[in-house]
Amino acid sequence: MYGKKLKVIELNKSIDAKEHILEVYAVFKDVKYGNTYAIYKDTFDSTNDILHYASSHFKENTLVLLDIKNTEYVLELVKEFVWDLINGKENFKFEIINIDKIEKAEVISSNNIKVKDEVLITLKEKCIPKAKEEIEELLPKKMSSSKKILITGFTLAFLVVVAFFIVNRDAFEPITYTLRCTKTETDNSLGATIDTTDNLIFNKEDNLLLKRNIIMIYSFNNKEDYNEYKKLGLYYKIEPIVSSATMTYNGDDTNKIFTITEDMTTEKEYFEPTKYGEVLDRMEYYNYTCSKVEDK
């Protein structure tokens, strides 16, 4: 673990003020120039999509944070560091600083960048040690004899229900099919060929779109274009169709391939057509080739 939660020193804090905490994911040094920076989340932020970065200094047991003037260079540095950190990649351009003895933070000023909330979630999982209370919640708790008997009874009843549904699977499983649409295009500005597969899952009876899975595979012409795409975080320009969609990013450095996967349902926030005929017309209008696949 590289980071920790730090209380912020508030000079004019009122008694009833909310406690100010930073989730400091890491403090690292730019080996080339010797400058030290910190990346963190501020609990006082009103949204969960802001990653702060700042020049960092140490004053006894306090981490002092200041904004950065040369943001263009440092911003790219931060993006590269965060990418490597999330993906567990070693990079000798950076040296991570041990902050075990740091107990609090003083925020004078900072810079920030807007990121996907899953970036902050991943950074927290990888960098912030769990508190004692969180660890205890994960540990198994002792049960009384009466509770064990009750659970045993529920387990047996559950197994009977499961067995019934397995035997009568065909009567209860919804019949669905997938409309699989594909398209290949070239993006000269990126230096890449993009192969898109859009899987649209329908309810067979009502012809309603239930789920959707989009896979975009970027095959780059050369290593330089691939590295620039990753370093600049250009994959974040792909906006999800619905805010509740799950976005997954995966880079294959050896083959210069970057894959973006988007999974979603149409229960809410979905404003595109959901009827089969309308969906097919729309996909073909955007030059997709579509075919129907029966789900097993």
Side-chain angles (χ1 to χ4, degrees):
M1 295 290 182
Y2 307 118
K4 65 190 303 187
K5 292 183 180 180
L6 297 177
K7 292 182 181 180
V8 178
I9 300 172
E10 303 285 8
L11 299 179
N12 300 311
K13 182 180 178 182
S14 59
I15 295 175
D16 60 344
K18 181 182 176 183
E19 190 172 48
H20 192 175
I21 301 291
L22 302 185
E23 288 182 358
V24 180
Y25 302 123
V27 177
F28 67 97
K29 180 185 288 186
D30 174 13
V31 173
K32 183 176 181 180
Y33 293 109
N35 297 318
T36 304
Y37 307 102
I39 56 171
Y40 62 93
K41 175 187 175 183
D42 193 325
T43 58
F44 271 21
D45 288 337
S46 58
T47 60
N48 291 319
D49 57 357
I50 300 297
L51 176 67
H52 292 265
Y53 63 97
S55 176
S56 61
H57 308 272
F58 299 98
K59 186 171 64 177
E60 297 179 348
N61 65 346
T62 302
L63 177 66
V64 181
L65 300 164
L66 292 158
D67 67 342
I68 297 157
K69 304 305 178 187
N70 182 17
T71 56
E72 185 175 349
Y73 169 75
V74 178
L75 178 57
E76 299 311 317
L77 203 70
V78 167
K79 287 180 179 178
E80 184 176 355
F81 177 77
V82 169
W83 168 263
D84 291 338
L85 198 59
I86 288 176
N87 292 279
K89 294 187 179 295
E90 190 174 10
N91 192 328
F92 294 106
K93 290 169 61 176
F94 309 113
E95 177 188 341
I96 294 179
I97 308 299
N98 189 316
I99 59 171
D100 288 346
K101 295 182 180 180
I102 300 299
E103 298 176 2
K104 48 194 174 181
E106 182 179 348
V107 181
I108 298 173
S109 53
S110 70
N111 309 83
N112 62 70
I113 178 176
K114 192 170 183 179
V115 298
K116 301 290 184 181
D117 55 0
E118 57 259 32
V119 171
L120 297 181
I121 292 170
T122 304
L123 284 172
K124 182 177 181 179
E125 289 176 350
K126 285 180 173 286
C127 303
I128 303 294
K130 283 184 168 54
K132 181 181 177 183
E133 295 79 9
E134 294 177 282
I135 295 173
E136 288 176 350
E137 293 227 344
L138 296 174
L139 296 175
K141 295 178 174 60
K142 293 183 179 179
M143 290 187 291
S144 63
S145 299
S146 58
K147 187 177 286 187
K148 288 180 180 178
I149 293 171
L150 190 62
I151 290 176
T152 301
F154 275 122
T155 302
L156 289 173
F158 175 74
L159 290 174
V160 170
V161 172
V162 169
F164 173 78
F165 275 95
I166 290 175
V167 172
N168 298 277
R169 179 182 299 175
D170 292 340
F172 293 96
E173 282 191 346
I175 301 173
T176 62
Y177 61 87
T178 297
L179 179 67
R180 181 163 296 156
C181 300
T182 59
K183 178 170 68 171
T184 298
E185 54 193 332
T186 301
D187 190 327
N188 293 323
S189 64
L190 294 178
T193 300
I194 307 167
D195 293 297
T196 303
T197 301
D198 201 334
N199 294 303
L200 305 112
I201 302 173
F202 291 85
N203 177 293
K204 200 161 191 174
E205 181 180 353
D206 297 324
N207 271 345
L208 292 177
L209 178 61
L210 305 174
K211 296 179 182 179
R212 189 173 178 183
N213 165 266
I214 304 172
I215 303 170
M216 302 179 68
I217 300 175
Y218 288 71
S219 301
F220 288 86
N221 299 329
N222 55 66
K223 196 75 171 179
E224 290 74 20
D225 289 338
Y226 171 79
N227 288 335
E228 183 179 50
Y229 183 81
K230 281 203 327 177
K231 182 179 178 181
L232 298 180
L234 297 179
Y235 42 91
Y236 285 133
K237 288 188 175 182
I238 303 298
E239 292 290 337
I241 293 174
V242 296
S243 60
S244 59
T246 299
M247 303 292 289
T248 305
Y249 308 98
N250 183 43
D252 181 348
D253 296 347
T254 303
N255 296 306
K256 309 183 296 297
I257 292 174
F258 196 92
T259 304
I260 302 173
T261 304
E262 179 178 0
D263 285 293
M264 75 199 80
T265 64
T266 58
E267 294 175 359
K268 55 183 180 179
E269 308 173 287
Y270 193 86
F271 300 106
E272 293 187 7
T274 56
K275 290 285 188 181
Y276 175 79
E278 295 173 358
V279 172
L280 181 59
D281 289 344
R282 186 177 189 278
M283 298 304 289
E284 290 180 343
Y285 175 81
Y286 285 104
N287 299 318
Y288 283 85
T289 300
C290 302
S291 59
K292 192 182 292 187
V293 180
E294 294 289 338
D295 294 342
K296 296 180 179 179

Coordinates of all heavy atoms in Angstrom, one line a residue, residues 71-84 87 91 93-94 113-116 119 189-191 220 223-238 249 258 260:
T71 N 1.5 23.1 -15.4 CA 0.5 22.1 -15.4 C 0.6 21.2 -16.6 O 0.3 20.0 -16.5 CB -0.9 22.6 -15.3 OG1 -1.1 23.6 -16.3 CG2 -1.1 23.4 -13.9
E72 N 1.0 21.7 -17.7 CA 1.0 20.9 -19.0 C 1.9 19.6 -18.8 O 1.5 18.5 -19.1 CB 1.4 21.7 -20.2 CG 1.3 21.0 -21.5 CD 1.6 21.9 -22.7 OE1 1.7 23.1 -22.5 OE2 1.8 21.3 -23.8
Y73 N 3.2 19.9 -18.3 CA 4.1 18.8 -18.2 C 3.7 17.9 -17.0 O 3.6 16.6 -17.2 CB 5.5 19.3 -17.9 CG 6.5 18.3 -17.4 CD1 7.1 17.4 -18.3 CD2 6.8 18.2 -16.1 CE1 7.9 16.4 -17.9 CE2 7.7 17.2 -15.7 CZ 8.3 16.3 -16.6 OH 9.2 15.3 -16.2
V74 N 3.3 18.4 -15.9 CA 3.0 17.6 -14.7 C 1.7 16.8 -14.9 O 1.6 15.7 -14.5 CB 2.9 18.5 -13.5 CG1 2.5 17.7 -12.2 CG2 4.2 19.2 -13.2
L75 N 0.7 17.4 -15.6 CA -0.5 16.7 -15.9 C -0.3 15.4 -16.6 O -0.8 14.4 -16.3 CB -1.5 17.6 -16.6 CG -2.9 17.0 -17.0 CD1 -3.6 16.5 -15.8 CD2 -3.7 18.0 -17.8
E76 N 0.6 15.5 -17.7 CA 0.9 14.3 -18.4 C 1.6 13.3 -17.6 O 1.5 12.1 -17.7 CB 1.7 14.6 -19.7 CG 1.0 15.5 -20.7 CD -0.4 15.1 -21.0 OE1 -0.6 13.8 -21.2 OE2 -1.3 15.9 -21.0
L77 N 2.5 13.8 -16.7 CA 3.2 13.0 -15.8 C 2.3 12.2 -14.8 O 2.4 11.0 -14.6 CB 4.2 13.8 -14.9 CG 5.4 13.1 -14.3 CD1 6.4 12.8 -15.4 CD2 6.1 14.1 -13.3
V78 N 1.3 12.9 -14.3 CA 0.3 12.4 -13.4 C -0.5 11.3 -14.1 O -0.8 10.2 -13.5 CB -0.6 13.5 -12.8 CG1 -1.8 12.9 -12.1 CG2 0.2 14.3 -11.8
K79 N -1.0 11.6 -15.3 CA -1.8 10.6 -16.1 C -1.0 9.3 -16.3 O -1.5 8.2 -16.1 CB -2.2 11.2 -17.4 CG -3.2 12.3 -17.4 CD -3.6 12.8 -18.8 CE -4.6 13.8 -18.8 NZ -4.9 14.3 -20.1
E80 N 0.3 9.4 -16.6 CA 1.1 8.3 -16.8 C 1.3 7.5 -15.5 O 1.2 6.3 -15.5 CB 2.5 8.7 -17.4 CG 3.4 7.5 -17.8 CD 4.7 7.9 -18.4 OE1 4.8 9.1 -18.7 OE2 5.5 7.0 -18.6
F81 N 1.5 8.2 -14.4 CA 1.8 7.6 -13.2 C 0.5 6.8 -12.7 O 0.5 5.7 -12.2 CB 2.1 8.6 -12.1 CG 2.3 8.0 -10.7 CD1 3.4 7.3 -10.4 CD2 1.3 8.2 -9.8 CE1 3.6 6.8 -9.1 CE2 1.5 7.7 -8.5 CZ 2.6 7.0 -8.2
V82 N -0.7 7.5 -12.9 CA -1.9 6.8 -12.5 C -2.2 5.6 -13.3 O -2.6 4.6 -12.8 CB -3.1 7.9 -12.6 CG1 -4.5 7.2 -12.4 CG2 -3.0 9.0 -11.5
W83 N -2.0 5.7 -14.6 CA -2.2 4.5 -15.5 C -1.3 3.4 -15.0 O -1.8 2.2 -14.9 CB -1.9 4.9 -16.9 CG -1.8 3.7 -17.8 CD1 -0.7 3.0 -18.2 CD2 -2.9 3.0 -18.4 NE1 -1.1 2.0 -19.0 CE2 -2.4 1.9 -19.1 CE3 -4.3 3.2 -18.4 CZ2 -3.2 1.0 -19.8 CZ3 -5.1 2.3 -19.1 CH2 -4.6 1.3 -19.8
D84 N -0.1 3.6 -14.8 CA 0.8 2.5 -14.4 C 0.4 2.0 -13.0 O 0.5 0.8 -12.8 CB 2.3 3.1 -14.3 CG 2.9 3.4 -15.7 OD1 2.3 2.9 -16.6 OD2 3.8 4.2 -15.7
N87 N -2.7 -0.3 -13.3 CA -2.4 -1.5 -14.0 C -1.2 -2.3 -13.5 O -0.8 -3.3 -14.1 CB -2.2 -1.2 -15.5 CG -3.5 -0.7 -16.2 OD1 -4.4 -1.5 -16.6 ND2 -3.7 0.6 -16.3
N91 N 7.5 1.6 -13.5 CA 8.0 2.6 -14.3 C 9.2 3.3 -13.6 O 9.0 3.9 -12.5 CB 6.9 3.6 -14.6 CG 7.3 4.6 -15.8 OD1 8.5 5.0 -15.9 ND2 6.3 5.0 -16.5
K93 N 10.7 5.9 -14.3 CA 10.6 7.4 -14.3 C 10.1 8.0 -12.9 O 10.3 9.1 -12.7 CB 9.7 7.9 -15.4 CG 10.2 7.6 -16.8 CD 9.1 7.9 -17.8 CE 8.6 9.3 -17.8 NZ 7.6 9.5 -18.9
F94 N 9.5 7.1 -12.1 CA 8.9 7.5 -10.9 C 9.6 6.8 -9.7 O 9.9 5.6 -9.8 CB 7.4 7.3 -10.9 CG 6.7 7.9 -12.1 CD1 6.1 7.0 -13.0 CD2 6.7 9.2 -12.3 CE1 5.5 7.5 -14.1 CE2 6.1 9.7 -13.4 CZ 5.5 8.9 -14.3
I113 N -8.0 17.0 -11.9 CA -8.4 16.5 -13.2 C -9.7 15.7 -13.0 O -9.8 15.0 -12.0 CB -7.3 15.6 -13.7 CG1 -7.7 15.0 -15.1 CG2 -6.8 14.6 -12.8 CD1 -6.6 14.2 -15.8
K114 N -10.6 15.7 -13.9 CA -11.8 15.0 -13.9 C -11.6 13.6 -14.4 O -11.0 13.4 -15.5 CB -12.9 15.7 -14.6 CG -14.3 15.1 -14.4 CD -15.4 16.0 -15.0 CE -16.8 15.4 -14.7 NZ -17.9 16.3 -15.2
V115 N -11.9 12.5 -13.7 CA -11.7 11.2 -14.1 C -13.0 10.4 -13.9 O -14.0 10.8 -13.3 CB -10.6 10.5 -13.3 CG1 -9.3 11.2 -13.5 CG2 -10.9 10.5 -11.8
K116 N -13.0 9.1 -14.4 CA -14.1 8.2 -14.2 C -14.1 7.8 -12.7 O -13.0 7.6 -12.1 CB -14.0 7.0 -15.0 CG -14.0 7.3 -16.5 CD -15.4 7.7 -17.0 CE -15.4 7.9 -18.5 NZ -16.6 8.4 -19.0
V119 N -11.9 5.0 -11.6 CA -10.5 5.2 -11.4 C -10.2 5.5 -9.9 O -9.2 4.9 -9.3 CB -10.0 6.5 -12.2 CG1 -8.6 6.8 -11.9 CG2 -10.1 6.1 -13.7
S189 N -6.3 10.1 -37.3 CA -5.7 11.0 -36.3 C -5.1 10.2 -35.2 O -4.2 10.7 -34.5 CB -6.8 12.0 -35.7 OG -7.8 11.2 -35.1
L190 N -5.6 9.0 -34.9 CA -5.1 8.2 -33.8 C -4.0 7.2 -34.4 O -3.2 6.7 -33.7 CB -6.2 7.4 -33.2 CG -7.2 8.2 -32.3 CD1 -8.2 7.2 -31.8 CD2 -6.5 8.9 -31.2
G191 N -4.1 7.0 -35.7 CA -3.2 6.0 -36.3 C -3.7 4.6 -35.9 O -2.8 3.7 -35.6
F220 N -3.3 -0.3 -33.3 CA -2.5 0.8 -33.7 C -1.4 0.4 -34.7 O -0.9 -0.7 -34.7 CB -1.9 1.5 -32.4 CG -2.8 2.2 -31.6 CD1 -3.6 1.5 -30.6 CD2 -3.1 3.6 -31.8 CE1 -4.5 2.2 -29.8 CE2 -4.0 4.3 -31.0 CZ -4.7 3.6 -30.0
K223 N 4.0 1.7 -32.3 CA 4.2 1.8 -30.9 C 4.0 3.2 -30.4 O 3.4 3.4 -29.3 CB 5.5 1.2 -30.5 CG 5.7 0.9 -29.0 CD 5.0 -0.4 -28.6 CE 5.3 -0.8 -27.2 NZ 4.6 -2.1 -26.8
E224 N 4.5 4.2 -31.1 CA 4.4 5.6 -30.7 C 3.0 6.0 -30.6 O 2.6 6.7 -29.6 CB 5.2 6.5 -31.7 CG 6.7 6.3 -31.7 CD 7.1 5.0 -32.4 OE1 6.3 4.4 -33.2 OE2 8.3 4.6 -32.1
D225 N 2.1 5.7 -31.6 CA 0.7 6.1 -31.5 C 0.0 5.4 -30.4 O -0.8 6.0 -29.7 CB 0.0 5.8 -32.8 CG 0.5 6.7 -34.0 OD1 1.0 7.8 -33.7 OD2 0.3 6.3 -35.2
Y226 N 0.3 4.2 -30.2 CA -0.3 3.4 -29.1 C 0.1 4.0 -27.7 O -0.8 4.2 -26.9 CB 0.2 2.0 -29.1 CG -0.2 1.1 -27.9 CD1 -1.5 0.6 -27.8 CD2 0.7 0.8 -26.9 CE1 -1.8 -0.2 -26.7 CE2 0.4 0.0 -25.8 CZ -0.9 -0.4 -25.7 OH -1.3 -1.2 -24.6
N227 N 1.3 4.3 -27.5 CA 1.8 4.9 -26.2 C 1.2 6.3 -26.0 O 0.8 6.6 -24.8 CB 3.3 4.9 -26.2 CG 4.0 3.6 -26.0 OD1 3.3 2.6 -25.5 ND2 5.2 3.4 -26.5
E228 N 1.1 7.1 -27.0 CA 0.5 8.4 -26.9 C -1.0 8.3 -26.5 O -1.5 9.0 -25.7 CB 0.7 9.2 -28.2 CG 0.1 10.6 -28.0 CD 0.3 11.4 -29.3 OE1 -0.1 10.9 -30.4 OE2 0.8 12.5 -29.3
Y229 N -1.7 7.3 -27.1 CA -3.1 7.2 -26.8 C -3.3 6.8 -25.3 O -4.2 7.4 -24.6 CB -3.6 6.0 -27.7 CG -5.1 5.7 -27.5 CD1 -6.1 6.5 -28.1 CD2 -5.6 4.7 -26.7 CE1 -7.4 6.3 -28.0 CE2 -6.9 4.4 -26.5 CZ -7.8 5.2 -27.2 OH -9.2 5.0 -27.0
K230 N -2.4 5.9 -24.8 CA -2.5 5.6 -23.4 C -2.1 6.7 -22.5 O -2.7 7.0 -21.5 CB -1.6 4.4 -23.1 CG -2.2 3.0 -23.5 CD -1.6 1.9 -22.8 CE -0.1 2.0 -22.4 NZ 0.4 0.9 -21.6
K231 N -0.9 7.3 -22.8 CA -0.4 8.3 -21.9 C -1.3 9.5 -21.8 O -1.4 10.1 -20.7 CB 1.0 8.8 -22.5 CG 1.7 9.8 -21.7 CD 3.0 10.2 -22.4 CE 3.7 11.3 -21.5 NZ 5.0 11.7 -22.2
L232 N -2.0 9.9 -22.9 CA -2.9 11.1 -22.8 C -4.2 10.7 -22.3 O -5.1 11.6 -22.1 CB -3.0 11.7 -24.2 CG -1.7 12.3 -24.8 CD1 -2.0 12.9 -26.2 CD2 -1.1 13.4 -23.9
G233 N -4.5 9.4 -22.1 CA -5.8 9.0 -21.6 C -6.9 9.3 -22.5 O -8.0 9.6 -22.1
L234 N -6.6 9.1 -23.8 CA -7.6 9.5 -24.8 C -8.8 8.5 -24.8 O -9.9 8.9 -25.4 CB -7.0 9.5 -26.2 CG -5.9 10.5 -26.5 CD1 -5.3 10.4 -27.9 CD2 -6.4 11.9 -26.2
Y235 N -8.7 7.4 -24.2 CA -9.8 6.4 -24.1 C -10.9 7.0 -23.2 O -12.1 6.5 -23.4 CB -9.3 5.1 -23.5 CG -8.3 5.2 -22.3 CD1 -8.8 5.3 -21.0 CD2 -7.0 5.3 -22.6 CE1 -7.9 5.4 -20.0 CE2 -6.1 5.5 -21.5 CZ -6.6 5.5 -20.2 OH -5.7 5.6 -19.2
Y236 N -10.6 8.0 -22.4 CA -11.7 8.6 -21.6 C -12.6 9.4 -22.4 O -13.6 9.9 -21.9 CB -11.1 9.4 -20.4 CG -10.5 8.5 -19.3 CD1 -9.2 8.8 -18.8 CD2 -11.2 7.5 -18.8 CE1 -8.7 8.0 -17.8 CE2 -10.7 6.7 -17.8 CZ -9.5 7.0 -17.3 OH -9.0 6.2 -16.3
K237 N -12.3 9.7 -23.6 CA -13.1 10.5 -24.5 C -14.4 9.7 -25.0 O -15.3 10.3 -25.4 CB -12.3 11.0 -25.7 CG -11.3 12.1 -25.4 CD -10.7 12.7 -26.7 CE -9.8 13.9 -26.4 NZ -9.2 14.5 -27.6
I238 N -14.3 8.4 -24.8 CA -15.5 7.6 -25.2 C -16.5 7.7 -24.0 O -16.3 7.1 -23.0 CB -15.1 6.1 -25.4 CG1 -14.0 6.0 -26.5 CG2 -16.3 5.3 -25.7 CD1 -14.5 6.5 -27.8
Y249 N -11.2 -0.9 -19.4 CA -10.1 -0.6 -20.3 C -9.0 -1.6 -20.1 O -8.6 -1.9 -19.0 CB -9.6 0.8 -19.9 CG -10.7 1.9 -19.9 CD1 -11.2 2.3 -18.6 CD2 -11.2 2.5 -21.0 CE1 -12.2 3.2 -18.5 CE2 -12.2 3.4 -20.9 CZ -12.7 3.8 -19.7 OH -13.7 4.7 -19.6
F258 N -5.6 -1.7 -27.9 CA -6.3 -1.2 -26.7 C -7.8 -1.5 -26.8 O -8.4 -1.2 -27.9 CB -6.1 0.3 -26.6 CG -6.4 0.8 -25.2 CD1 -5.5 0.9 -24.2 CD2 -7.7 1.2 -24.9 CE1 -5.8 1.4 -22.9 CE2 -8.1 1.7 -23.6 CZ -7.1 1.8 -22.7
I260 N -11.7 -1.3 -25.3 CA -12.7 -0.6 -24.4 C -14.0 -1.4 -24.4 O -14.5 -1.7 -25.5 CB -13.0 0.8 -24.9 CG1 -11.7 1.7 -24.9 CG2 -14.0 1.5 -24.0 CD1 -11.9 3.0 -25.6

